[in-house]
Amino acid sequence: APAGGKGQGKGKGGGKGGGAGSGTVTNLVSSDTDKFTFLMPLINLVWSAPLQLVICFTMLAFYVSWAVLAGVCVMILMTAASSFLQKRSVKVQADAMKAKDARLKMQTQLLKIVKIIKLYAWELAIEERVTDLRDAELSKQLRYKLWSVGIFISFSLSPTLVSLATFACYTALLGNSLDAATAFPALSLFSLLNLPLSLLP
């Protein structure tokens, strides 16, 4: 194999002496550290989002009575769907990160033996192997993006479906008329629910 021999020996020695390989370290620096950047502004929402949900639904019960239970049911269903999508997305993302680690490790090893590759004219064989690793990585990244689109759609639709179910139950099942004094305060409360509903696990 073109990438074996001396290159693999160096890779193993570096793995024993330095712990994580350079491909893994590069992946951690370029990808995983971004998670902390997005995490910091959202830490306070761990306690404020549930509190906001309780207050908003309590006030909604004052305006639309028992119809708020329809919105709660829809919220539970959307939360379950969002949880399923997130679990699948995390699994696919882990596979994509493994593929990225493998590609970066291969490229790092190839840079160490680039003179040998040039000497034995292994360019085409090496290019084919790197291309295969890159194609596998892109395929898994595409799957991860598609699952992320599903999560985004569930986040976007959740507040709308909750308000729609509540108003439908208030007018159709309870037989009440939806006037401005009820609709506008309820819509304001539903708009306040957009952020906490989108952050439910």
Side-chain angles (χ1 to χ4, degrees), residues 151-200:
I151 295 174
F152 175 77
I153 292 175
S154 68
F155 285 169
S156 301
L157 289 180
S158 181
T160 303
L161 293 178
V162 169
S163 59
L164 180 62
T166 301
F167 286 145
C169 181
Y170 182 74
T171 56
L173 297 182
L174 298 182
N176 298 316
S177 59
L178 189 62
D179 54 3
T182 302
F184 287 109
L187 287 174
S188 298
L189 291 171
F190 281 126
S191 66
L192 293 175
L193 287 173
N194 286 344
L195 181 60
L197 282 178
S198 65
L199 294 175
L200 286 176

Side-chain angles (χ1 to χ4, degrees), residues 43-121:
I43 285 182
N44 285 329
L45 292 174
V46 173
W47 62 269
S48 63
L51 179 62
Q52 190 173 350
L53 285 174
V54 172
I55 294 175
C56 288
F57 275 115
T58 301
M59 297 182 68
L60 279 172
F62 174 77
Y63 286 103
V64 296
S65 183
W66 294 105
V68 71
L69 294 179
V72 173
C73 292
V74 173
M75 182 187 69
I76 293 174
L77 292 176
M78 293 302 295
T79 301
S82 176
S83 178
F84 170 76
L85 291 174
Q86 288 181 0
K87 289 179 180 178
R88 292 292 302 174
S89 176
V90 169
K91 183 178 179 180
V92 174
Q93 185 185 28
D95 293 338
M97 290 297 102
K98 290 180 181 178
K100 185 176 181 179
D101 287 340
R103 177 181 61 82
L104 290 174
K105 183 178 180 181
M106 170 66 72
Q107 290 178 338
T108 303
Q109 291 179 350
L110 292 178
L111 289 175
K112 295 178 181 179
I113 59 171
V114 64
K115 292 183 179 179
I116 298 177
I117 294 174
K118 288 289 186 180
L119 179 63
Y120 291 99

Side-chain angles (χ1 to χ4, degrees), residues 1-9 98-110 113 116-117 121-138:
K6 185 177 180 180
Q8 290 184 353
K98 290 180 181 178
K100 185 176 181 179
D101 287 340
R103 177 181 61 82
L104 290 174
K105 183 178 180 181
M106 170 66 72
Q107 290 178 338
T108 303
Q109 291 179 350
L110 292 178
I113 59 171
I116 298 177
I117 294 174
W122 286 341
E123 292 92 340
L124 295 179
I126 293 299
E127 180 182 3
E128 183 179 354
R129 294 185 61 176
V130 174
T131 302
D132 291 341
L133 290 175
R134 181 60 176 167
D135 290 342
E137 178 190 351
L138 290 177

